[in-house]
Amino acid sequence: MNIAGQRIFLRAIEPDDNAMLLEMVNDPDTEYMLGGWSFPVSTTQQDHWTQELENASTILRCAIDDHCKAVGVVMLNPIDLKNGTAEVHIRLASDARGKGYGADAVDAIVCYAFDELRLQCVYSHVSEHNIASKRLFLSCGFKEEGLLINRLYKRGRLISVYSLSKQRSAID
């Protein structure tokens, strides 16, 4: 089952997406904007990752497809069914940024989380210097909950992280 947005759809990640995925994972500017860290990834490693990729009850990974090609990935990870929560992660290819794909993908995966998985809250952690991502989540109805001080180490310094979340509307 694909998940429909207004302009995009979310689908399973396929081997044809490897070039886009490899470009994103090896781009130092993209890595700087996100949490976590990674080593350089080879074509062989990327191919292996895609071949072994399986969604699990705690992870949903989707390619963002603009009806022509994949332009990024969005995921819910970890999905906590007991407590009704999940973290939303999004990563767009550099040539897809600023075109509305991100908001459409976040809206689509949040609707899926609330309407199909019956989650009550989705959240995101955004690096303090990643103003575009913070704006994206705020534009999708997320609320800023706080600032986690000195949580990431990037390029020789500690970086704080915004915590943002969106609650499911009460059901009548």
Side-chain angles (χ1 to χ4, degrees):
M1 173 188 102
N2 292 330
I3 301 168
Q6 297 296 315
R7 299 176 47 213
I8 56 88
F9 65 97
L10 308 179
R11 59 166 175 77
I13 295 171
E14 299 287 350
D16 288 348
D17 302 326
N18 280 347
M20 180 267 309
L21 293 167
L22 191 62
E23 179 185 332
M24 283 192 309
V25 76
N26 283 329
D27 178 30
D29 293 327
T30 299
E31 194 277 336
Y32 175 65
M33 297 308 257
L34 304 174
W37 57 275
S38 63
F39 292 117
V41 175
S42 71
T43 303
T44 303
Q45 290 169 315
Q46 183 61 55
D47 289 344
H48 179 57
W49 182 84
T50 305
Q51 289 169 358
E52 299 298 316
L53 183 64
E54 290 186 23
N55 286 321
S57 62
T58 61
I59 304 171
L60 171 63
R61 294 179 186 98
C62 297
I64 304 166
D65 197 303
D66 71 353
H67 299 278
C68 294
K69 65 181 186 322
V71 296
V73 293
V74 65
M75 68 179 81
L76 297 173
N77 179 26
I79 299 170
D80 180 343
L81 294 174
K82 178 186 181 291
N83 293 304
T85 63
E87 185 170 2
V88 179
H89 304 265
I90 186 165
R91 193 181 280 199
L92 291 172
S94 58
D95 62 348
R97 297 178 192 149
K99 297 181 179 177
Y101 297 133
D104 200 9
V106 168
D107 285 342
I109 205 157
V110 167
C111 284
Y112 181 80
F114 290 160
D115 297 344
E116 300 299 327
L117 300 179
R118 297 193 301 181
L119 299 182
Q120 298 302 309
C121 174
V122 292
Y123 61 93
S124 186
H125 293 126
V126 177
S127 303
E128 67 181 326
H129 59 273
N130 193 342
I131 304 304
S133 284
K134 183 180 177 188
R135 265 188 262 150
L136 165 67
F137 283 102
L138 291 173
S139 75
C140 292
F142 284 63
K143 305 289 184 213
E144 185 178 331
E145 293 185 327
L147 185 65
L148 308 172
I149 305 300
N150 295 334
R151 297 301 164 100
L152 298 175
Y153 190 76
K154 300 276 185 172
R155 296 186 179 169
R157 72 179 193 92
L158 288 167
I159 297 170
S160 297
V161 174
Y162 289 104
S163 178
L164 302 113
S165 74
K166 185 173 185 175
Q167 304 287 325
R168 182 176 186 196
S169 300
I171 299 173
D172 298 323

